[in-house]
Amino acid sequence: MKRLSPLHLCALAVSAIVSAPSFAADTPDYSASELANKIAQETIIVDGHIDVPYRVKNAWVDVTKATEDGDFDYPRAVKGGLNAPFMSIYVPASLDNSPESTQLAHLLIDSVEAIVARAPDKFAIAKSTDDVKKHFEAGLISLPMGMENGSPLQGDLDNLRDFYERGIRYITLAHSQSNHISDSSYDLRRQWKGLSPFGKKLVTEMNNIGIMLDISHVSDDAFYQVVDITKVPVIASHSSLRKFTPGFERNMNDDMIKALGENGGVIMINFGSSFVSKEAGQWRKGLTAARKALIAKEGEDSPKLENFEKSYREKVPYPYSTLDEVLDHIDHVVELIGIEHVGIGSDYDGVGDSLPIGLKDVASFPNLVQGLLDRGYSRKDIEKILSGNLLRVWEQVEQYAATHG
């Protein structure tokens, strides 16, 4: 059982005064029972993807204390029971093929280390599954790290080793554009028709060194090539299901989910509304079309562009998804390939104002637990979703590297 330190108990009290977004009276009323809160507090909760490092790069804020904005800070994490969020070392595709991509990745790792240095009684860097478990027992929040976009490797395996030493434990091979490793699901240019020659070599090297392969963002062809080459299970650190978002290649289709199950991997469900429901994706397309129409009419210098999304939302309200719809994604994975292959990759601090009703920030994990209880999931199964499945994959990757590295 997790032992709460006095600092944790104090943080629980502070978190109660953190304001939450308000919604219309007819929105679902999600509240967690004592049992749901107990499970959240007594279970390791791994979130596969939280964009704190890039958030604090853009506008520095001390997340070791309560913050007025964003989705993550220490008091809210403690309130929600979140104790092992993967910090995303996100490098924009605009920096691909430049030394700046490598430099930025190191600077973002520095920022995670700085969080720990400011509050070593609250946070600790986690480089192994054993670290996560030890920190949990000590009442510390683990900060493992994953690199979103393999661009910083620059085709150099020495960089891979450097980033491993600094704590990177998964790499999302590409982001919004095809890079020197892999094609991207967002990029119509399929220059490699999957993985590049270096990308295929990288899969083996990541297996050998002990870094998990993250297939979120890559093209379908790249996904299948990864699972064909890898000797260990892979993860999708923050992806949801194409069944509920037809035509959205960034999510995974049923055949891919089945292949992931055969590989032994885990898909970690993204909470962003456009990942969860087709209505949110259609709204985003409408926003883009309206913006283009304004530019065509008034030009790039139109003052109306400055707060265009805010104005558009006032006219066309954003169709937030709900906790229930997120649970539908989890249910479908379980139906397809079993309880052992689904986890949580919220994308908190990475999807802006698009989070579902009932899951607005990291304090919301008890709501997720309650939803799972309401759908008949046992505590043992809930523990697998919250962390057991991801830790199992991570341990398999560690064990393989120990004998092949």
Side-chain angles (χ1 to χ4, degrees):
M1 180 182 296
K2 182 179 179 181
R3 296 187 293 274
L4 293 180
S5 68
L7 281 165
H8 279 86
L9 294 172
C10 178
L12 280 168
V14 172
S15 66
I17 65 172
V18 175
S19 61
S22 60
F23 298 93
D26 60 351
T27 56
D29 178 21
Y30 294 114
S31 57
S33 65
E34 182 178 347
L35 175 59
N37 277 286
K38 179 179 174 64
I39 292 172
Q41 291 297 325
E42 294 180 353
T43 306
I44 295 175
I45 299 180
V46 174
D47 189 319
H49 193 92
I50 293 186
D51 278 294
V52 167
Y54 207 78
R55 169 189 165 196
V56 300
K57 170 192 174 292
N58 284 339
W60 189 86
V61 63
D62 187 355
V63 296
T64 70
K65 303 174 182 178
T67 61
E68 294 182 0
D69 59 1
D71 310 323
F72 175 96
D73 57 40
Y74 178 75
R76 285 182 285 175
V78 171
K79 181 179 180 182
L82 175 63
N83 37 56
F86 269 86
M87 296 287 99
S88 173
I89 306 304
Y90 161 61
V91 176
S94 60
L95 297 181
D96 288 354
N97 302 314
S98 73
E100 287 80 8
S101 68
T102 307
Q103 180 181 12
L104 176 58
H106 282 296
L107 287 173
L108 295 178
I109 294 172
D110 288 347
S111 74
V112 178
E113 293 176 345
I115 290 170
V116 173
R118 283 197 303 279
D121 56 338
K122 300 175 181 177
F123 296 101
I125 300 291
K127 296 185 178 181
S128 68
T129 54
D130 282 345
D131 284 348
V132 171
K133 295 170 185 176
K134 290 174 183 176
H135 298 161
F136 176 73
E137 289 300 321
L140 296 171
I141 293 179
S142 291
L143 298 182
M145 290 180 281
M147 178 183 289
E148 185 178 24
N149 189 1
S151 171
L153 298 182
Q154 298 291 330
D156 187 342
L157 295 178
D158 285 341
N159 283 329
L160 179 70
R161 288 182 278 272
D162 288 345
F163 284 118
Y164 175 83
E165 291 301 321
R166 295 209 66 189
I168 294 298
R169 289 301 179 265
Y170 75 68
I171 296 176
T172 318
L173 300 182
H175 191 249
S176 59
Q177 294 179 14
S178 175
N179 62 14
H180 74 285
I181 298 169
S182 173
D183 290 334
S184 164
S185 62
Y186 284 126
D187 194 340
L188 295 178
R189 302 168 300 162
R190 302 299 162 95
Q191 63 171 325
W192 306 116
K193 295 181 172 56
L195 298 175
S196 72
F198 175 76
K200 293 174 181 177
K201 181 179 180 181
L202 181 64
V203 171
T204 298
E205 292 300 322
M206 287 174 62
N207 283 176
N208 291 341
I209 199 173
I211 297 179
M212 290 180 283
L213 287 147
D214 177 20
I215 52 75
S216 289
H217 280 286
V218 304
S219 68
D220 291 9
D221 286 341
F223 162 77
Y224 284 111
Q225 290 168 21
V226 169
V227 296
D228 182 59
I229 297 169
T230 184
K231 302 300 182 184
V232 293
V234 305
I235 65 169
S237 70
H238 58 306
S239 294
S240 298
L241 307 188
R242 213 176 296 174
K243 170 184 171 63
F244 301 99
T245 57
F248 186 35
E249 189 177 340
R250 172 64 177 80
N251 278 345
M252 299 178 70
N253 66 30
D254 284 7
D255 287 340
M256 296 168 75
I257 299 295
K258 292 175 183 176
L260 184 76
E262 293 172 2
N263 162 264
V266 176
I267 177 172
M268 309 182 78
I269 301 302
N270 191 313
F271 292 172
S273 289
S274 62
F275 290 80
V276 174
S277 71
K278 63 182 180 181
E279 290 80 11
Q282 290 168 345
W283 183 93
R284 182 64 58 181
K285 290 179 181 178
L287 171 70
T288 300
R291 189 176 189 280
K292 288 181 177 178
L294 177 62
I295 292 172
K297 181 180 179 181
E298 300 188 12
E300 294 276 2
D301 297 328
S302 172
K304 295 178 183 177
L305 290 171
E306 185 174 349
N307 296 303
F308 183 77
E309 181 168 337
K310 180 180 179 181
S311 299
Y312 186 80
R313 282 176 180 260
E314 291 172 354
K315 298 173 184 176
V316 186
Y318 185 78
Y320 291 102
S321 61
T322 65
L323 167 58
D324 286 300
E325 290 174 306
V326 172
L327 293 169
D328 290 343
H329 286 249
I330 293 173
D331 284 350
H332 191 61
V333 176
V334 173
E335 291 166 4
L336 281 176
I337 57 175
I339 192 68
E340 293 81 11
H341 303 285
V342 63
I344 302 304
S346 66
D347 215 348
Y348 280 132
D349 278 329
V351 291
D353 181 22
S354 73
L355 289 161
I357 299 167
L359 292 171
K360 288 295 178 182
D361 61 20
V362 296
S364 304
F365 282 103
N367 294 350
L368 180 73
V369 174
Q370 185 64 54
L372 292 167
L373 288 170
D374 291 344
R375 293 197 179 200
Y377 286 86
S378 68
R379 177 163 182 166
K380 182 178 179 181
D381 284 347
I382 292 171
E383 289 171 352
K384 289 180 180 180
I385 294 169
L386 295 181
S387 63
N389 294 333
L390 185 280
L391 292 176
R392 185 255 311 163
V393 169
W394 191 356
E395 286 174 351
Q396 287 179 268
V397 170
E398 290 175 331
Q399 292 165 3
Y400 183 89
T403 57
H404 294 80

